[in-house]
Structure formats: C-alpha cells, structure tokens
Amino acid sequence: DAKTTQPPSMDCAEGRAANLPCNHSTISGNEYVYWYRQIHSQGPQYIIHGLKNNETNEMASLIITEDRKSSTLILPHATLRDTAVYYCIVRVAEAAGNKLTFGGGTRVLVKP
Amino acid sequence: DAGITQSPRHKVTETGTPVTLRCHQTENHRYMYWYRQDPGHGLRLIHYSYGVKDTDKGEVSDGYSVSRSKTEDFLLTLESATSSQTSVYFCAIMAREDNEQYFGPGTRLTVT
C-alpha cells in the first residue's frame, strides 16, 4: 500500500470548515483513499473513501486531485466532537484481507 | 455499531504469563482483525482471519497467536507476555455490506 503524509496537528474553529490535507504521491491506479478518525481512547471510525471522483456523505467531503497525488478531507462545520486524530490511508480495496496501514495521522483540535 | 465486543476491557498481568484477549461479533462477518496501538502511534496489524480456522500474519505478529474456531469469536493470545506488549488492542471486522472495517472499543493491556 502507498505511503501517506499528513501534518501532525492542526487547529480549527468551531463552526468553521476543517480542511485536512493528505499527500499520497506514490498511489497506484487501483488504490483508494480512505479516511478514518479516532476520538480519544476509542476505536477508529470510518469516515469516507474515494478512488478519483470527489465524494460526500453525511460526515464529510473528500476532494481528490486530478493526478490523485493528494487529497483533502473537509469537515464542513466542525464541532467540538470532531476533535480527534484523522488518518488518511491508501489501499487496494479488494486486497486480500483488506488490511489497513495506519500512519501517524493528523491531530485535529476544534476550539470554541 | 457493528456488534463488536472485546473482553476484557482492561487487564494487568505479569511478565511471562499467558494472556488471551477475546473479540466477539454478532453479525456473522467473515473477516476479523487484531491491531495494537502504542502511545502516539497509529494502529499496527497483528493478525487477521478470513474465515473459521483461516488466519494470517500482519506486520507485528511475533509473540502473538490467534485462533478462530467459530465465526463470531477471534482470540488473540500472548503466549508469554512481555513489557513490550503493553498496548491497547483493537479488534475489527470487515462488514460485507460495504467492505469497510469497523472497530471494537479496545482492550488496554499492561504487562508489569
């Protein structure tokens, strides 16, 4: 699976959009971009994933650049409950066992 | 909630003793996973299972064994616990509905 690079931490204001970048310059054509988050002491929570088109669900939007070498997770209206570590992962969706490889993630602090 | 429970939730044990952690799921998912998470790090895969009696190693499998005699239970055993195995252990399943991984609440293990 391709390696990802994320900033170690970022702050954002409550009610504002939070834009979390991820670089994955070695991504392969059949690898998807996944985002998970981990709220303190809990198990990771799936947020969203995409291949090349932008995706949106009830939690977030995922913007993938045309060359697929980077992406941005957008939390449209951050709340205090969005404070968590956010992990960007790239992997082949149908790989045997669908194993996830977690990096260091971005620690997001939402401030009032 | 993917119906995943882990037991025990907390355990303190002494170096050299055997320890077994249990992951239980109620929704008959085929794939199950064990990860460990150390302070300030992302999750690392220990072992995974793709069916009853079918298991494979992850990136940090040394010192751990697993068993899956029933679809609903995936056991992780530390044959002889060491202080380096002090960690938080997360179990996960891959849901067949969406091929995403969902995580249990975690087990905090301390080896003294």
Side-chain angles (χ1 to χ4, degrees):
Chain A
D1 292 342
K3 183 176 178 180
T4 62
T5 303
Q6 299 177 252
S9 64
M10 63 183 294
D11 294 345
C12 92
E14 186 180 19
R16 305 292 294 271
N19 297 292
L20 283 62
C22 179
N23 287 319
H24 32 78
S25 58
T26 60
I27 192 170
S28 301
N30 62 346
E31 288 183 311
Y32 288 69
V33 180
Y34 282 77
W35 283 85
Y36 280 75
R37 74 179 182 183
Q38 187 174 24
I39 297 171
H40 180 63
S41 299
Q42 299 179 20
Q45 175 189 23
Y46 166 79
I47 301 173
I48 198 168
H49 76 281
L51 183 62
K52 52 181 147 181
N53 296 323
N54 297 338
E55 301 288 343
T56 295
N57 63 21
E58 65 278 4
M59 289 182 67
S61 295
L62 174 61
I63 309 298
I64 303 174
T65 58
E66 190 169 345
D67 63 6
R68 301 204 331 117
K69 294 186 177 185
S70 66
S71 60
T72 301
L73 178 75
I74 301 172
L75 308 177
H77 304 288
T79 71
L80 299 180
R81 289 177 294 179
D82 291 322
T83 290
V85 179
Y86 288 76
Y87 296 99
C88 170
I89 299 165
V90 293
R91 66 174 174 91
V92 178
E94 300 304 321
N98 281 303
K99 300 181 290 292
L100 296 175
T101 301
F102 288 80
T106 296
R107 187 172 298 275
V108 173
L109 176 61
V110 180
K111 296 182 174 180
Chain B
D1 183 0
I4 307 168
T5 57
Q6 293 184 230
S7 59
R9 295 292 313 280
H10 301 272
K11 186 171 182 66
V12 179
T13 192
E14 293 184 349
T15 298
T17 60
V19 177
T20 295
L21 308 182
R22 179 185 184 228
C23 178
H24 179 77
Q25 55 134 333
T26 60
E27 300 183 9
N28 207 34
H29 298 294
R30 178 183 174 192
Y31 285 91
M32 299 183 75
Y33 309 79
W34 276 108
Y35 293 84
R36 62 176 288 175
Q37 184 172 33
D38 300 306
H41 295 275
L43 280 72
R44 292 182 292 170
L45 181 66
I46 305 171
H47 282 279
Y48 68 99
S49 170
Y50 45 96
V52 173
K53 293 186 169 46
D54 292 323
T55 65
D56 205 349
K57 296 179 180 179
E59 61 178 308
V60 290
S61 59
D62 287 349
Y64 301 94
S65 62
V66 289
S67 65
R68 190 157 178 214
S69 58
K70 301 185 289 186
T71 299
E72 58 266 35
D73 288 325
F74 191 32
L75 304 180
L76 177 71
T77 297
L78 292 65
E79 302 290 348
S80 177
T82 67
S83 58
S84 65
Q85 293 176 311
T86 291
S87 189
V88 179
Y89 291 85
F90 288 100
C91 173
I93 60 92
M94 186 178 74
R96 56 184 178 283
E97 295 83 11
D98 58 11
N99 283 339
E100 299 315 324
Q101 288 195 21
Y102 296 89
F103 288 79
T107 294
R108 184 173 297 276
L109 176 68
T110 302
V111 183
T112 61

